[in-house]
Amino acid sequence: MKVLVCIKRVPDTGGGFKLTSDNMRVDTTNVGFAISPHEECAVEEAIRIIEKHGGSSTVLTLGPQAAQEQLREAIAKGITSAILLEAEDYEFWDPAATAHAIAETVKPLGFDILLFGNESADTCNYQVGLRVAHLLDLPCVTGIKALEIQDGKALAKRETKDGWEVYEVALPAVFTVKEGINTPRHPSLRGIMSAKKVPIEQKKVTKPAPQLVRKALKKPQEGRHLEILGQGVDAVPKIIEKLREVGAI
Amino acid sequence: MILAILEPAKGALTEASWETLTAARDLAHKSNDSVTALMIGKGVNALAPTVKGIHTVLVAEDPRLDSYVPEAFAKIVSEVITQRSPKIALAPGTETGNDLMARVAARLNLGLATNCVEFSVEGGSLKRVTRSNWGGSLLEELEILSSPILLTLAPHAIAAQSADGTTPTVETFSVSVSEKDFRVRIKELIPTQKKGISLTDAKVVIGGGRGMGSAEAFKMLEELASLLHNAAVGATRVATNNNWRPHSDQIGQTGVQIAPDLYIACGISGAIQHMVGCKNSKKILAINKDPEAPIFQRADYGVIGDLHQIVPALIAELKKLKGA
């Protein structure tokens, strides 16, 4: 079994955003980076598939040199090898451009299972996985929260308001994963040490003519005004008052 | 022409479909254009008369399409776009709508702006859209260079409005899907048994974050919920990643989006990832021992102190009230 997992390096925003002075990017001065949450689960799923069925797993990202940090994190957890499609301007690639670069790279590599996150944490475009699937003419199920592989087929479960939709597709196939499919492991110290030495395959990619062009980022209006109800247990009567106001008591 | 792609479910159009129709009519009004609505699936013929105030309803009725068949639906939408050349094609930004339109965009090699919240029409044509980034905690203004313009509308971004007047012409769109278009299909539906009050239905939600410290500590939130009408317990990503609670309890960008009358956030710092999931709460009450926690900038009521003392005191007081 050969499994590919595609990830995105995103700022670890914590409690708030600052925008750059031109309003085109999130200001990442003094901000850490992480693998986008759904993709963190896609990495875990790739590792579990290989642990169960044997084979090898590859992690891929389109991003800056600094994204080696996220690729090595995935390797430290148990992914076999890594590919960096190097583009320092990756934040301004639209989904079609990203999908074309990924599809071109992975087409000759013959993966059985290609995993993506359902949507990235930052741009939330919901489409890179589906576009790659189309370019490779592979079936794709999006937003899955369970995956079972058996006899060249996959059963993928999608959660809806009323229950589960179970899809059956033949491999090779593409899946976009949602958080909740598993609980990602932490890398071991040994994993972290040995991941430092794994060579990362690198290829420079150039942004093609875009379909979508960002003009600006802005913060939405927030209309709340804080009223301090009190300190410690002295605030309990006020909390009860607020519970009464909404008819909870 | 502006094409609105609607979602039938259980014999009716979804709320997101009515929002999409409203947005399409508004776009048509501003650009002096007409709206055609497209409905795909088994039984959509019967739904066509429920739509008013637009030019045409296209129905693609087929008994094989009794649930969402991704590639077959995408093929039909792509054919409609190719044959009817709309200026804009708009669908609901639901899980299904985003899946469908991404497939259509890939087939036609067009750009797609998902989860739009605002449209800027100048001189009779759509120049820019504003779409949701980071689950809605940032907005992105975007120019779309490819044509026709493909969009999905973020749910609840605009309120659905009913329209009277014109009864649209109903046209049949003949479906030409083959076996290959069914390679991705639902094999089975497993309904889940509803137990208790769900996070999305509860009037009061009590959320626990890093400050809870353990799975054990969530028991007091459960007890608090049991003393209130229509209350449920949720958690942050930190709590679910630590296995203190199941992922289904997670409130946030990668979990559930809630909109209760009151959200009580216990030991939650207020990470963007979490706040996206609770920002539609009517009121937010935060209990946190750190007065500098970002959640206090996004809450209506603040209690500064240790939740491990405050919650038990609150429970004791509520029990006293019940006993009285």
Side-chain angles (χ1 to χ4, degrees), chain A residues 141 154-156 158 165-169, chain B residues 68 70 184-187:
Chain A
V141 186
L155 286 178
R158 216 170 176 231
E165 295 173 349
V166 186
Y167 286 82
E168 186 184 79
V169 291
Chain B
Y68 179 51
V184 181
R185 71 180 308 172
I186 298 170
K187 191 189 174 200

Side-chain angles (χ1 to χ4, degrees), chain A residues 3-9 35 39 42-43 46 57-63 67-68 70-72 74-75 79-86 98-107 109 111 114-117 128 132 200-201 203 205:
Chain A
V3 181
L4 173 77
V5 54
C6 295
I7 63 169
K8 187 173 185 183
R9 170 183 165 90
I35 299 173
E39 289 133 47
V43 167
S57 55
T58 302
V59 60
L60 179 151
T61 196
L62 189 150
Q68 284 204 25
Q70 281 66 45
L71 295 174
R72 293 197 192 277
I75 293 169
I79 295 285
T80 323
S81 62
I83 302 173
L84 172 65
L85 300 182
E86 193 195 339
T98 306
H100 275 94
I102 295 173
E104 199 189 342
T105 304
V106 306
K107 194 169 189 171
L109 302 180
F111 290 103
L114 298 88
L115 301 176
F116 291 80
V128 173
V132 170
I200 289 176
E201 189 187 326
K203 185 168 119 185
V205 285

Side-chain angles (χ1 to χ4, degrees), chain A residues 158-203:
Chain A
R158 216 170 176 231
E159 196 177 23
T160 68
K161 235 183 126 197
D162 309 311
W164 296 91
E165 295 173 349
V166 186
Y167 286 82
E168 186 184 79
V169 291
L171 299 181
V174 176
F175 302 95
T176 78
V177 166
K178 268 196 176 182
E179 192 179 80
I181 190 170
N182 53 44
T183 308
R185 73 192 66 189
H186 296 290
S188 65
L189 193 59
R190 212 168 132 201
I192 294 169
M193 294 316 284
S194 58
K196 286 182 181 167
K197 294 178 211 119
V198 174
I200 289 176
E201 189 187 326
Q202 297 188 31
K203 185 168 119 185

Side-chain angles (χ1 to χ4, degrees), chain A residues 140 142 166 179 215 229, chain B residues 99 103 143 187 237 250 302:
Chain A
C140 177
T142 60
V166 186
E179 192 179 80
K215 291 297 176 182
L229 300 184
Chain B
D99 178 286
R103 290 175 195 269
E143 191 180 353
K187 191 189 174 200
R237 184 160 180 259
Q250 190 196 107

